[in-house]
Amino acid sequence: MSTSPQQAREALGVRLRELRQDAGLAQRRLAEQAGWHEAKVSKIEHGKQTPSEDDIRAWCRLVGADDHVPDLIATVRNISSSYREWRREWRAGAHRRQQTIAAQEFETTLFRIFEPIVIPGLLQTREYAAQRFRDNIAFHNTGGDVETAVQARMDRQAVLHRGDRDRRFHMVVCEVALTIGLAADDVMAAQMERLLTLSILPRLSLGIIPTRARHRRAPHTGFWVFDERLVLVETAAAELAITQPREIGVYVQEFDWLAASAVYGAEARELISGAIRTLRAS
């Protein structure tokens, strides 16, 4: 998974070099057959130059790897937009990011969302969301209108109730997300009550991974899968947008493995109710 456009170019170059070597073609021979200067092949393989989509098609044709074209073209298209630095995003205004993701959500029929310790934004209360925005703005040392950002997040939640009747949401969180101190206890308790209310929505499947459940896959960072076309992954420094079909498939498998450790329905609601009792008693 790339962590910057330059690293993405370098990773792409490595993949193209391996395809060329597997075909037994020297750089000079590939360049001659493609009608390029030899230096172009070297620059592409070392991440110094981003190949065009036509370059990718020609490369794959010459090395007999046409089946790699879709993944490689997706990589090229994604290089410039795959890395969104949080500090830059927050400086532009947190509400703008909410509006951008709302557009992605509007186009999505199947949501697969995993968050290890944070309640997904589509399920957040206003107070919980406000605390998350305040903490993120403080961490990245940027200004921002918290109320505007919160309202934009609340507006996004309309997608839970409107639109395509076939739209489905499968969300999984770890049990720790129910009580971890990301907000005051009363805010957390109100958030859990909100989860109880939303958990009966017909189009929402809410799974909770009990702490002591058998974990087939160790939870790492959160990620959102939008149909089969996009995965958003959050790191401490940035958000990564993944569009390569092969990598999307990895995240779909990751989600399925995590979801297999979760409980649903009455069992999930009992965990939420237990969290409310704990929070109210503290």
Side-chain angles (χ1 to χ4, degrees):
M1 181 172 57
S2 304
T3 56
S4 74
Q6 179 54 37
Q7 285 177 306
R9 276 190 292 270
E10 292 172 359
L12 174 61
V14 169
R15 291 178 65 188
L16 292 172
R17 180 170 65 249
E18 289 173 348
L19 291 175
R20 175 182 60 77
Q21 291 173 339
D22 288 346
L25 278 180
Q27 286 186 348
R28 178 175 298 177
R29 182 61 176 160
L30 176 61
E32 289 175 352
Q33 292 184 2
W36 302 334
H37 191 284
E38 182 180 351
K40 177 174 178 175
V41 175
S42 178
K43 288 178 180 178
I44 289 174
E45 291 188 349
H46 289 87
K48 308 283 187 191
Q49 178 177 333
T50 303
S52 69
E53 293 182 23
D54 285 341
D55 291 340
I56 292 293
R57 293 186 184 94
W59 193 296
C60 288
R61 175 176 53 81
L62 293 171
V63 301
D66 286 336
D67 56 323
H68 289 259
V69 169
D71 267 351
L72 294 171
I73 286 181
T75 299
V76 169
R77 291 177 179 175
N78 204 36
I79 283 176
S80 61
S81 61
S82 63
Y83 187 87
R84 300 186 185 96
E85 186 181 6
W86 286 127
R87 185 163 297 177
R88 184 177 300 172
E89 290 286 322
W90 288 105
R91 284 176 178 165
H95 67 286
R96 293 186 180 179
R97 177 66 193 130
Q98 297 302 302
Q99 293 166 348
T100 298
I101 198 170
Q104 293 285 359
E105 291 167 345
F106 181 78
E107 298 174 356
T108 302
T109 300
L110 174 59
F111 293 74
R112 282 164 287 195
I113 299 169
F114 171 69
E115 291 288 0
I117 62 172
V118 177
I119 303 304
L122 292 177
L123 306 182
Q124 292 178 5
T125 64
R126 182 176 292 273
E127 293 75 17
Y128 183 98
Q131 188 61 62
R132 302 311 314 126
F133 281 119
R134 283 194 293 267
D135 289 347
N136 281 319
I137 288 171
F139 179 81
H140 294 291
N141 193 29
T142 60
D145 185 344
V146 171
E147 286 306 313
T148 301
V150 169
Q151 186 57 54
R153 177 163 289 177
M154 296 300 103
D155 291 343
R156 279 176 51 205
Q157 295 180 358
V159 75
L160 288 170
H161 309 281
R162 300 179 191 167
D164 192 333
R165 294 179 60 184
D166 293 328
R167 181 174 285 150
R168 293 180 295 129
F169 301 84
H170 188 175
M171 305 189 193
V172 176
V173 301
C174 293
E175 184 180 1
V176 67
L178 307 182
T179 54
I180 191 170
L182 292 180
D185 286 349
D186 61 331
V187 173
M188 291 295 298
Q191 176 63 72
M192 294 310 107
E193 290 169 352
R194 169 78 168 156
L195 280 190
L196 279 180
T197 300
L198 293 175
S199 68
I200 63 174
L201 286 176
R203 61 173 62 186
L204 171 62
S205 179
L206 177 62
I208 299 172
I209 304 177
T211 301
R212 297 303 301 165
R214 169 68 174 92
H215 289 55
R216 295 182 64 209
R217 185 71 175 166
H220 295 293
T221 189
F223 59 90
W224 293 44
V225 184
F226 298 82
D227 293 324
E228 305 289 339
R229 59 184 170 78
L230 172 68
V231 177
L232 296 181
V233 183
E234 293 190 0
T235 72
E239 178 184 73
L240 309 179
I242 296 171
T243 58
Q244 291 177 301
R246 183 169 55 183
E247 291 192 20
I248 289 173
V250 172
Y251 278 93
V252 169
Q253 180 182 11
E254 174 101 345
F255 182 85
D256 289 344
W257 279 44
L258 289 164
S261 298
V263 296
Y264 296 82
E267 289 183 84
R269 285 190 284 274
E270 179 52 39
L271 288 177
I272 298 170
S273 296
I276 293 172
R277 291 192 292 269
T278 298
L279 292 163
R280 293 297 189 197
S282 60

